[in-house]
Every structure is written in structure tokens, then in C-alpha cells.
Amino acid sequence: MTTKLFGTPVARSEDPRLLRGEGRYLDDLGHDAYHVGIVRSPHAHARILGIDVTAALEVPGLIAIHTFDDLPERLREPLPLLIPHPSIRDGRTQYVLARDEVNYLGEAVAMVIAEDRYAAEDALELIDVDYEPLPPVVGPEAARAAERTVHAGIDDNVGARYEQTIGDAAAAIADAPNVLEFRLDIERSASMPMEGRGTLARWDADESMLRVHSSTQAPTSVRAAVAAYLELPLQQVECVTPDIGGGFGVKIVHPWPEEILVPWAARELGHPVKFVEDRREHFISATHERAQVQFLKVGFDDDGRILGLDVELLHDHGAYMPYGVIVPIITSTQLLGPYRIEQYRVVFDSVYTNTVPVTPYRGAGRPQGCFAMERTMDRIARHLGKDRTDVRRVNMLEPEELPYDYGLIFQDGRPYRYDSGDFPASLAKLKELVDWDGFEARREAAAAEGRLLGIGMAAYVEGTGVGPYEGGHVLVEPNGTVQVATGLSTQGQGHETAFAQIVADELGVPFASVRVVTGDTRRFRYAVGTFASRAAVMSGNAIHLAAVKVKDKALKIASEALEVDVEDLELAEGQVRVKGSPETAIDLNVVATMSNPLRYAFDESARIATQFATPASLDRPPVGDDDEPGLEGTDYYSPVSSTFANGMHAVEVAIDPQTSDVTIERYAVVHDCGTLINPRIVEGQVLGGVAQGVGGALYERMAYDANGQLNNASFMDFLIPYSTEVPHVDIDHLETPSPLNPLGIKGAGEAGVIPGSAAIASAIEDAIGARVDAMPIGPAQVHALRCASDERSAIPGRDRVEVPR
Amino acid sequence: MKPPPFAYHAPRTVDGVLAALAELGDEGKVLAGGQSLVPMLNMRLAQPEALVDLSRVDGLDAIEVTDTHVRVEARVTHERLRRDPRVTPAVPLLRQALDWVAHPVIRNRGTSVGSIVHADPAAELPAVLGLLGGHMELRRVDGSREVAGRDYLLSPLDSDTAPEELAVAAVFPRPSAHTGSSFLELARRHGDYALAGVGAVVRLDEDRRLVSAEVACIGVGGVPVYVGLTEALRGQPHDALDLADAVGLVRAAIDPSDDIHATGAYRTHLTGVLAERALTQATAHATHEEIAA
């Protein structure tokens, strides 16, 4: 047991269960439960004049139908604005069921409860809602034009406006020898986990206890929200997460209307009730992300060094802003990437539109920021005729400049300060990994075969492990099992494995003896949630600290039992033993038994802890003033600020010269998330992120029409890449430990997705010689760009006319 | 995404199926592989009163390969047809097209005849049937009829099948000697319905000059668009094709509209590119067939 698990590619212990179909997801629970179906608005914007449920009452299996008017007073209040921010002028959120107006296609209007989902859907069809359609606002530019409004009383459709500055960007740009000004567009995508949203609630009338199972990234906060809306003491509500089939951000939003309605209905009916979202509902009633229009102005010297950068973001947050302005704040700050930008102004308008609300999706505003900055770098390189990596290199922060404080405020309300990293080393590694310098030869060879190749790259820095805190509990049972709990939930990230590695190392016990429970408020009540690549940093360190407490306690008990100084003892191979003479040892499970002074010998092993068995000192109590029974420990980790991971991607694409179809031929990733707990898990996270990055770059867009109808709300028409579309990825790691936490780790969950669009745009642009300013991009768009470029200039690669703001 | 209530019939014989369809009339719908119908039921886009499932019928599962044709019965899945070693030598275009049909899990359940009946504008097999001059065999309680493949598709998702009729088989004629074929598509993702697809059949004479040529374009109209190119290409030598006129004719014959995946203009361009490539491949194929013969 001297082998350290930390840092080794331990196979994920959750995988056999999940891969064999033995996972236990929300819809696997509650077979006796009634099913909820939701009447959803077919209009993007409408007034509700009346709801007639008469015909639906005849449906066999119907239990109940509820509309806004039936709800108790507390449930008739708007859902919470989860993250208040001073920039929010007028933050609107929706009701659990629409009161008198709907503001997006899919908004919840009425609830049906039936014996099964079939009957619920039969009833849904028969509910007649009288809508008076109102003119919808679709797209951020329509919102800005403000010829129509989403919400009465918000005449400019602006929910929040926020400006941050470093120095005086305008003056720096005015004095710069070179200035470029341009516009970029990114369309909407969405998290799209395999498993949609879902909630099951059981009310135990005998114990006045509500148990809520929910497919959520924030179980402790769901618990608190349910308790608040149902006006129950917190101690009478439990929230448990079963296996979760992916989250990617969408499941951090809470409480969903259904997360309140289902527990309420379960208590009202005295019967289990569940809601399991289907895919069509997920498209129109879960949340989206990514959509932004960006206006950039950059001044730079003849080496490509950025002297001043001015960015205006038009951020479409949809019909409501339940998650505040987190996404545009992250874009505004993380846009800076690994670069030294000393004169900077960024301002965003976060606007209302009659579309599904926008909340973080893996990357959470960073892909947009990375796109803005990396497109800027490419433009500068082209303008100056320089290699794109050289322009990035000259702007990069040197390792000795870190920690580097930009003087901005990050999404956690704390300083935007990079703690560590070596960006130039990452760039050098990437260039080697993708053979950047050998590309021109490859391009020529391909051209000789009639193939069009291009290469591109993008770099990012990712603030991870945001606070405020997470906690961990570690308990050694008298049978030797080590129970570990943390409050945040797991959506497939491998927490069971990574956290067990940390504990097994610290306590010197076999990996297999450690059992990890996440996202169950019965086991751990205090937590924040799983988002912002924070679980490993936050819970990992908290669990580590809790394990250290357990270790210290075990050493103390063993020290007394063995009459050996603590300094001379170590934990290894499931024992506390004397360093250098391992035969003098005491099993850790015996220490666990001894830690709990007993009166009753309920089994043979318990005898040693009973009152006549132990030669305890009669001068002090069996449990001392500074002690507690049991070999367990709880601790919390709460950092002063986020820790910043970084990475760079390079992509080589081939464009079919006739069809303009895009094929990714190489994809290389250099990734630095500090000290690695488990390289295999990190690589899995990176690969999954790259797949989503490819999706955002080449495939995924929410096709809203001018009426706010979503024209591709299915997996047939909303194109998520299949495995056949995801390239092989070469991954290399740098490990620059974070100085901010005991384990030196940084988050890795979102990294892979961030630079996808930027890097792929760069490569396509390089291949076709025409500007790529809007993503996603498919063969039809590439074809159109090439045609337009042929019309403008016969010389590929020449700089184009800049689009004025 | 749960279907409304429907009655379910699972006859054991073809006659049982025909009787059920006759009785149900407009209220009945045939279920074969279910790869299109079941999603439509779940999304309540189709709400038939009754389904007549072919899965328990004794028979209707033959692939008949003769000197003149390949006859595919209603329960034959895409994958069985694709893998049948007799089919490719007899009608190479079937395999060439089936390689583009969806993914293995869909091909394992979806039926070739069902795909033709379903009449998706981007489906491959209706175009294959039409291009080869094949036909559908339809049966009802009181009779049967044949419909030429080219006439069978009426409009998107609508084929010439009466409610009481069962499409029992599709018959694909074997091409004559010196004939080559090809099927090419471009889809946004592997196995998706194509942005555009082109099937091509060309015939050469003894001197390896083109005698006849025709393409079928899918995904660019409500039904497959057949473009005869014999006039444009007759007499061209196999190894020095000039396809510019043919490509022009193909592009002129179609008028695809914009949709969320591509503009009509791009689809027109793409169809021309695919036609050029498919004609080139089909011509090469014809010369290989000649050598093989």
C-alpha cells in the first residue's frame, strides 16, 4: 500500500456499473409514482386569456390538473433570481406556471398529473389554452433595436449592463499604429445531456418528511428551495441525486418549475409524483447557451503586441435571467486568455428575447470569450503578415509575471488573478505536438493532391474551483470500510474514483475499501454545487483535509495504544504502524473500534472498546473535552480566489475543394490543470469537451425562426456530432501546481470545450483564405464564404475589408 | 413523447395482414421496422387508430435473386439486404446506396420496402428503385397491382399505397451488360439524411463510349428528381468524359429550397458536384463490370 494512487490513471470504479446498464437514474426510480406532464406554450410571446381543461378531465388515468390560479400563494411567486448582481437593472424570472403571459416557446402553463406519462400526454392534448399572440423579440439584435419588448416596463429589453476597465483602452487604441475593428457572431447551443431533467418526490406523512430525488447539479440548494416554497423546515426535506446522465451546466439551474411543482403535488396527493423530461421538452424548456454578438476594436504595435482592446458584447439571455449575468461576466474576463492586456474595456448588454433562457453550458461564456480573443490574434497576425503563434507568444504573460492580477472582478466576486501557469511552455509543447512548423510542407503536399488544408490554434485560461466552499466527511467504520461523502453531485465526472484515490492515499487503505457518496443531503448537508470545474478542487481538497483529520486522530489513538510517539507512526496497508518496524502495528479498523468507547459488546470485535476491556486512564473521561467518538472527520475548503487552469488546442482541417465539406484531420491539446489526480479521468474530460467543442464549431445551432419557433427541436435536426465526427485527439499535459490549495490541483471539467470554435475557425480560415467571423460553420457556410471571397479577390489569404461597427 | 392509445394487430399470415388492413381502412397503419413510424408515433405526428405489425407474419422475408431481378420482401431489413452476398453482384447499386443508409442499429431494424413506402425525400432506396426501372408489388384482399418505382412516390412522405394495401415487395431489375452505377451523398453527420445525394447509372457500348446515362437526385425535391443525361453524354469515351453540360443539366433540373441545414443554392451546387463524381465513378464501374464479365 505504499504505491501512491494520486496522479495515477486508476480505472474509474463507477464505469462497470454505468457501462453495464446498472446505473440508477431518475427514471429508474419511483415506479409507483404518478407522472407529471406540462402544457407548454406553443407561442414565443402571448397573453393567456383563459385555460379550459374540461375535455381533459375525461382522460382515463387522470389524477389532477393545475394552473397558476390553483397554486398556493407561495407558489404564485416568481422563481428566484439565483445570483444577484449590481449590474442587473430589472431581473425577471418565470413563474412555476405562467400567470397571464408566456415569454418563450415551451414555458410551463399548466400541470397534468396522471397515473402514467401516456395518460398525462393524452390529457395535455385536450387542454385548451386561449392565447392572444404578442409580437416576439427573437435574436439579440432585435432586442437591441427594441421595436418590440419582451417584458412590460423594460423598454430597451436590457436586463443588465456592465462595464469593466483596465487602464484607458480608448486612448491606447487611438495612439496605436495599427487598429482593427470587427464583429463576431456565435449562435445558440445547449448542454444536451443524454438524460434530461427529472424530479421524483415522496411525502412521508407519518414522519412529515419530504424526500426529493432530482437530476441536479445543486442538491443542497434544491433542498433549500423546496423547503422554502413548500414552507417546510429544512430538516423535513431531503434531496438525493441518483446517477445523473450528464449535466454540462444545464442542471445547475434550480429550482426548475417542476422541481417545485412535483414535491408540492406529492405532498398534496400523499402519493409519489415524478416528472421525467423528454427530449422535445428539453429543447424548449431546459436552458440554452452561447449566443453572443461581439464588437471588437484592437490597437497593436508592429510586433502584434496588443496596446488596447475594446469589446462590446451583446448577450442574449433569453426570456428570463434566473442565473443572473454569470455567463457574460465570465466572457468579459476570461476573454483575456493567457495574454498581457493592460488597456482594456469590456461592456456587455444582457438582453431579453422571447426564447428559452440562457444559463451556463460547459465552458459558460468562455468559448465566446476565447473566440473573440483568438479571432483577434489571427486578425492581427494576418494584418502584419506574421505567424499566428508568434503574435500570441509576444502577448503572452511570462511565467515570472504570475501571479498576475488584472484588476478585474471575476464571477465569484473576487479578484481576477491568475495563480500559476507557464503559457509559453504550453505553446511550445503544442507547436511540437501538432508539428506547427512543418505544416506548410503538408499544405503543399495536400494541394498537389487537390486537397485544401488549414491549421489553426487557440489558447485559453479557465478560472476553476470557484468558491465559496465545499466540505467533505471521512469515516472509518469498525469493519474497515471508509465512507466518504461530499455534498455536491456527480454527473459522470468520475468523482467516486478521484475522491477515493485522495482518501486511500491519505489513510493508507486499499482503494476498494473507500466508498464515496455525492449529492445526498442525508449524508452531507452543506455544499454549493457542481459547476465551474470546481468539484475536484473544492470537494477534493475538502475531502483531503477531512482525511488528514481522520489520520491525525488515528495516529493519536494508536500512539496511546502502542505507547509510541505519533511522529514514529505511519498509516499504511490498512494499519497504523511503527515506521521502520511494520510488525508493530494496529489495524485501522481496530483503531476505529477503539475510537468509540462502548458499554455493549454487540459483536466480538467491539469487545476491545467496552468499559471493562480497556485499560483507560481513570483520571480523564473516556471521551475527552477536545475529542469526539468515532474515527471520522469533517472539513471544508474555501479558497480566497479561483485557481486558473490553461490550455491550447491546435487543429488541422481539410476542406473538400468542391463541396466545401470540412474534415478535422488532426486535433492536438496541451492542457495544464495543475497537479493531476487521475490522468485518465482528465483525458476523458478533455476528450468529451473537445467533442462538444467540435459540435459548437461545426454543427450545433438552435434554429429559431422570426416567430420564435424552434425549428430543430430534435436530435434529427439539432446536430450533435456522433463519434464518427469527433477526431482522434493527441493530448499532452503540463502540471503547474496551484499555490492556492493543498493538493495543487486546478479544475479540468470544462477545459476541452473552450477553444474548439476558435481553433476550428482559425483552421478553416487558414484553409480557405476567407474570414470566418461566425460560428457554427458547415459546408454551406464555407461554400458561401469561398464564393464571396472569390468575388472580392482572386488572391487567397489577402486581408479583407473590415466590417465597421 | 408517448403515443396516444392505438389498437395493435400482429397477424401471423399475409392474408391476416390484408384482412386487417381491409377492415381498418384509413384507421390502420402498417408497422415494419418502425424506424420512422415509431418516432412519429411518439411525437404524436402520426396518430393512427391501429397498427398492423408485420413482425410476426410467417413469410414476407425473402430476398429473391434471379437472372432478371432482385426481389425484396417487406420484412427484409436494410442490413440483411446489404450483407446478402448475392445482391451486390446482381444489382451493385443496391449495396452502393445501402452503405449510405443511416447507422447499423437503424439498418438492423429498418426495412428496405418500409423505407420506400415511407417516401422520405432524402431516402436512398426509392431513388434506386426508380433509377433501375423497378417496381413495387402491392396487395390487397381482393387483388394486387404493380406500380413503377418512378411513379410510386407522390410527394414528401406520401407514396401510392392505398390504406388497405400492403407493399409486399420491391423488385429491382438487374442492369444490362456494360452498365455501371454509383451512389454518393453528403450528409452533415455520418449516416444522417443527406444534404443531397445522387445515384448514377451509365451504360457503355463495345467501344466504351457512353450509350446512356441518368442520375437520380435525392434530398433536393419532394421526391427523387431523375435527370436523363443520354443526350448530353452519348458517345463520350469512358476515359475522357466532359461532364460540364451534364452537371449544368442536373443543376437546372432541381430547385431545392433553403432549410436549417443548408441553403438551396448550396444544395444545387453540391448536387452538381455529386453528379459529376457519381457519373465518373459509374463510368469507371461500367468498365470494371465489362472486364469482370
Side-chain angles (χ1 to χ4, degrees), chain A residues 118 121-122 125 278 280 656 658-659 661 698-699 701 703 712 715 717 719-720 722 724-725 779 783, chain B residues 1-5 43-44 47 103 186 188-190 192-193 195 260-262 266 269-270 273 276-277:
Chain A
Y118 292 85
E121 292 193 22
D122 291 345
E125 284 196 325
D278 69 29
R280 190 159 48 175
D656 183 314
Q658 290 179 295
T659 67
D661 196 25
L698 298 178
Y699 299 102
R701 59 183 281 260
N712 62 342
F715 280 163
D717 286 319
L719 309 178
I720 291 176
Y722 302 130
T724 40
E725 278 65 50
H783 175 72
Chain B
M1 290 172 64
K2 303 288 183 199
M43 290 192 266
R44 299 192 176 216
Q47 302 203 2
H103 312 99
L186 183 69
R188 290 292 276 114
R189 298 176 300 183
H190 185 83
D192 280 357
Y193 277 126
L195 292 174
I260 57 174
H261 299 305
Y266 174 72
H269 165 82
L270 174 63
V273 173
E276 183 174 5
R277 291 179 182 178

Side-chain angles (χ1 to χ4, degrees), chain A residues 545-617:
Chain A
L545 293 171
V548 169
K549 278 192 172 175
V550 170
K551 177 182 178 176
D552 289 346
K553 186 165 184 177
L555 288 171
K556 186 166 161 249
I557 293 167
S559 158
E560 286 170 14
L562 298 170
E563 297 181 329
V564 177
D565 278 354
V566 164
E567 289 72 33
D568 296 329
L569 293 171
E570 64 180 4
L571 271 68
E573 294 180 22
Q575 295 181 318
V576 186
R577 66 190 189 189
V578 176
K579 289 176 189 167
S581 55
E583 63 285 353
T584 309
I586 180 167
D587 287 349
L588 192 62
N589 61 312
V590 174
V591 176
T593 301
M594 292 166 65
S595 73
N596 181 22
L598 294 172
R599 184 171 176 86
Y600 308 113
F602 47 80
D603 69 5
E604 189 56 33
S605 65
R607 289 169 60 100
I608 56 165
T610 53
Q611 55 199 22
F612 296 106
T614 50
S617 163

